[in-house]
Amino acid sequence: MKSKKIPLRKCLGCNEMKPKKELIRVVKDKEGEVFIDLKGKANGRGAYICRDIECFKNAYSSKRLNRALKIDIPDEIYDRLKEEIEYE
């Protein structure tokens, strides 16, 4: 029997390929609205980050989310992302 392929995505903090389910997705939709997609199914361009505070700090300090989504990310998105990571 064939084993199911696990989709991998690259974390913006540590640049490691990890299974998609282990990462948090930040999405920019067609209207330019940015939000956190915990289910990983929303339409739009997505960027992924680990559930690790060090990865968050690396991505935040170098503004990697801004470059990946090609838009300025509001501070409230970073705050919600940090809360989500610390909650785990």
Side-chain angles (χ1 to χ4, degrees):
M1 183 146 178
K2 209 173 196 180
S3 63
K4 192 170 183 180
K5 182 178 165 190
I6 299 172
L8 298 175
R9 300 292 183 265
K10 185 182 276 192
C11 170
L12 292 176
C14 60
N15 286 326
E16 290 182 21
M17 297 295 283
K18 297 190 177 184
K20 184 178 173 182
K21 293 196 180 241
E22 293 179 10
L23 303 171
I24 299 174
R25 184 173 186 235
V26 181
V27 180
K28 179 183 87 168
D29 62 8
K30 287 183 180 178
E31 290 80 35
E33 184 180 338
V34 179
F35 57 95
I36 296 172
D37 177 25
L38 295 176
K39 294 187 180 190
K41 304 250 181 196
N43 289 335
R45 179 162 186 85
Y48 296 85
I49 190 161
C50 293
R51 295 178 184 270
D52 180 24
I53 197 68
E54 290 303 317
C55 287
F56 171 78
K57 288 177 183 177
N58 288 339
Y60 180 73
S61 64
S62 60
K63 301 290 184 187
R64 290 183 187 155
L65 276 174
N66 292 1
R67 278 184 272 159
L69 298 177
K70 300 176 183 170
I71 193 170
D72 282 334
I73 307 292
D75 286 336
E76 55 214 35
I77 297 294
Y78 282 116
D79 293 340
R80 285 190 50 220
L81 192 58
K82 187 174 182 179
E83 286 174 14
E84 188 64 37
I85 291 169
E86 289 175 343
Y87 179 71
E88 294 294 318

